[in-house]
């Protein structure tokens, strides 16, 4: 990638302040867990490291508007049949999604498959200005909502028993109230 590596954000911030390094366009970090750790401990450790990086990033003004790019490997699935291999990384994604909603434009999430062609696609993925990307075999994917074809209801489809009981959990909230009213009025 032609990038310079620093041991931590503090070292990079000091280099930028001293003028020995230019202000970066992006800063890439990759929180990782120790091999062989139990899943819960690894997720806790990776999320704590990511939280520390997020907090330091938000406190540091010397990086200007450069986004912090958090790279994971196998933390999200791109296809329905794809397994999520890095559950600790999935926890990092959850944490960073919250940080993204509170600080738009400050963080980018990238998940790779670890292949060389995927790492080479990282600059193009970052140039897309997408806040969340997954790179598989060098191809960049972004999350999008899509319409799903719905099959028409069959005549023999089982409906709700009009004399039966329906339990709606969370009905005290707005959405639950709408569901409960719909069930009473329509079913």
């Amino acid at each position: 990638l032609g990038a310079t590596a620093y041991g931590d954000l503090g070292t990079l911030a000091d280099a930028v302040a001293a003028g020995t390094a230019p202000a970066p366009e992006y800063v890439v970090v990759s929180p990782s867990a120790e091999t062989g750790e139990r899943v819960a401990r690894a997720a806790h450790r990776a999320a704590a490291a990511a939280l520390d990086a997020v907090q330091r990033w938000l406190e540091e003004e010397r990086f200007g508007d450069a986004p912090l790019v958090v790279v994971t490997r196998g933390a999200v699935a791109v296809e329905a049949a794809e397994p999520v291999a890095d559950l600790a990384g999935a926890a990092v994604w959850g944490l960073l999604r919250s940080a993204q909603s509170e600080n738009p434009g400050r963080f980018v999430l990238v998940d790779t498959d670890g292949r060389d062609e995927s790492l080479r696609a990282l600059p193009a993925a970052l140039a897309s200005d997408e806040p969340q990307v997954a790179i598989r075999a060098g191809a960049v994917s972004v999350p999008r909502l899509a319409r799903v074809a719905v099959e028409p209801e069959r005549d023999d489809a089982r409906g709700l028993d009009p004399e039966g009981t329906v339990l709606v959990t969370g009905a005290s909230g707005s959405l639950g109230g709408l569901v409960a009213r719909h069930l009473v009025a329509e079913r």
Side-chain angles (χ1 to χ4, degrees):
L1 296 175
T4 304
Y6 290 86
D8 57 40
L9 292 176
T11 305
L12 173 58
D14 292 343
V16 170
T20 58
E25 185 177 353
Y26 297 98
V27 173
V28 179
V29 298
S30 183
S32 61
E34 294 178 22
T35 305
E37 268 188 308
R38 290 186 174 184
V39 174
R41 183 167 178 82
H44 183 265
R45 193 182 301 264
L51 178 60
D52 182 58
V54 165
Q55 290 172 333
R56 288 176 187 253
W57 189 254
L58 293 173
E59 290 172 355
E60 185 56 62
E61 296 175 6
R62 292 179 272 194
F63 298 129
D65 293 331
L68 180 66
V69 180
V70 179
V71 179
T72 57
R73 182 176 173 182
V76 296
V78 175
E79 300 292 331
E82 181 182 355
V84 174
D86 181 12
L87 296 179
V92 169
W93 267 68
L95 176 86
L96 263 292
R97 284 179 173 160
S98 294
Q100 284 178 327
S101 69
E102 294 173 7
N103 303 279
R106 296 298 309 270
F107 303 102
V108 177
L109 282 164
V110 178
D111 189 68
T112 72
D113 56 9
R115 295 180 182 181
D116 287 342
E117 61 264 36
S118 295
L119 295 177
R120 285 192 299 271
L122 183 58
L126 294 176
S128 73
D129 287 332
E130 290 287 342
Q132 300 169 14
V133 299
I135 309 173
R136 302 291 187 268
V140 177
S141 298
V142 296
R144 293 287 187 262
L145 294 177
R147 290 192 180 269
V148 175
V150 178
E151 293 182 27
E153 202 172 300
R154 300 185 325 243
D155 289 339
D156 64 339
R158 181 178 168 163
L160 295 175
D161 180 358
E163 301 301 318
T165 302
V166 176
L167 173 64
V168 180
T169 61
S172 62
S174 298
L175 185 57
L178 289 172
V179 169
R181 279 191 290 282
H182 170 77
L183 288 172
V184 168
E186 301 294 325
R187 302 287 182 164

